[in-house]
């Protein structure tokens, strides 16, 4: 199976699905897959997220990789694995990182400061989720890459569709986009608008 880092480098866009309507979240995942977004995470902070992961993992084709986001604890990591997630995403360096790695799940680990970046790499993260990216924006990513040129960064948190290309140009291996991409679709909103945003996001991410 292709590694998470290789997938991030190749696909360049990670869609983050979080909603309060599980059926709508599943429809949103289907729309994203139909439009060619093939790397997604379902945040555990969404309604009945484990069921969403379980159903989506069973329904999606082999080309779509589905992960669990907002993994905080060891219990979260186990539940994500059991639901069918193939990777986990964390907002920081909690117990979920070590447990996911113990279970054989690659981790996109959240970090913001240089000290946290060093810790994420030392723990074995496949890539570092720069979170929240909005705290410093593209200039902060550029500044971090000076001391950490080999670290694969994935900015998340406040990344808009109009800034995807800028983050990639600044050296991110991929970007994670949540509400600016999903909008209200995971809560029962406009799927046609989601399709349009998905196409725009893929265009911003460039050729894969």
């Amino acid at each position: 199976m292709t590694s998470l880092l290789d997938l991030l480098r190749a696909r360049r866009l990670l869609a983050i699905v979080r909603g309060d309507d599980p059926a709508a979240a599943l429809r949103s995942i289907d729309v994203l897959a139909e439009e060619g977004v093939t790397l997604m995470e379902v945040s555990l902070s969404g309604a009945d997220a484990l069921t969403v992961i379980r159903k989506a993992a069973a329904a999606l084709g082999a080309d779509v990789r589905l992960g669990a986001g907002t993994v905080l604890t060891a219990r979260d990591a186990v539940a994500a694995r059991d639901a069918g997630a193939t990777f986990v995403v964390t907002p920081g360096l909690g117990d979920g990182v070590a447990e996911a790695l113990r279970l054989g799940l690659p981790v996109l680990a959240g970090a913001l400061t240089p000290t946290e970046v060093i810790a994420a790499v030392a723990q074995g993260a496949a890539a570092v989720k720069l979170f929240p990216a909005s705290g410093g924006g593209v200039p902060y990513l550029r500044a971090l890459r000076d001391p950490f040129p080999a670290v694969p960064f994935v900015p998340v948190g406040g990344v808009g569709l109009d800034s995807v290309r800028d983050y990639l140009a600044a050296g991110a291996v991929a970007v994670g986009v949540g509400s600016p991409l999903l909008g209200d679709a995971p809560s029962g909103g406009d799927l046609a608008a989601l399709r349009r945003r998905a196409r725009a996001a893929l265009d911003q991410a460039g050729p894969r």
Side-chain angles (χ1 to χ4, degrees), residues 22 48 54 57 60 83 101 110 121 128-129 131 151 154 157 167 175-176 191:
D48 205 7
R54 188 173 295 109
L60 294 171
L101 291 170
V121 172
V128 173
K129 169 184 166 179
F131 179 80
V151 172
V154 182
Y167 277 107
V175 293
L191 292 176

Side-chain angles (χ1 to χ4, degrees), residues 16-149:
I16 302 166
V17 180
R18 177 188 292 108
D20 55 19
D21 181 336
L26 281 166
R27 290 193 295 270
S28 299
I29 290 169
D30 287 341
V31 166
L32 289 169
E34 288 166 5
E35 293 301 327
V37 179
T38 55
L39 193 58
M40 304 180 223
E41 71 167 90
V42 176
S43 172
L44 296 188
S45 62
D48 205 7
L50 292 170
T51 298
V52 172
I53 292 171
R54 188 173 295 109
K55 289 183 176 180
L60 294 171
D63 188 51
V64 179
R65 287 285 291 273
L66 188 69
T70 323
V71 171
L72 303 177
T73 67
R75 181 175 294 180
D76 288 340
V78 172
R81 188 273 314 269
D82 292 346
T86 60
F87 63 93
V88 304
V89 184
T90 75
L93 301 176
D95 292 342
V97 174
E99 182 64 11
L101 291 170
R102 189 188 72 79
L103 294 170
L105 292 174
V107 179
L108 175 56
L112 181 62
T113 68
T115 298
E116 291 168 350
V117 171
I118 291 169
V121 172
Q123 288 187 40
V128 173
K129 169 184 166 179
L130 181 60
F131 179 80
S134 58
V138 173
Y140 185 64
L141 171 62
R142 289 199 185 101
L144 273 182
R145 291 198 69 242
D146 285 341
F148 302 114

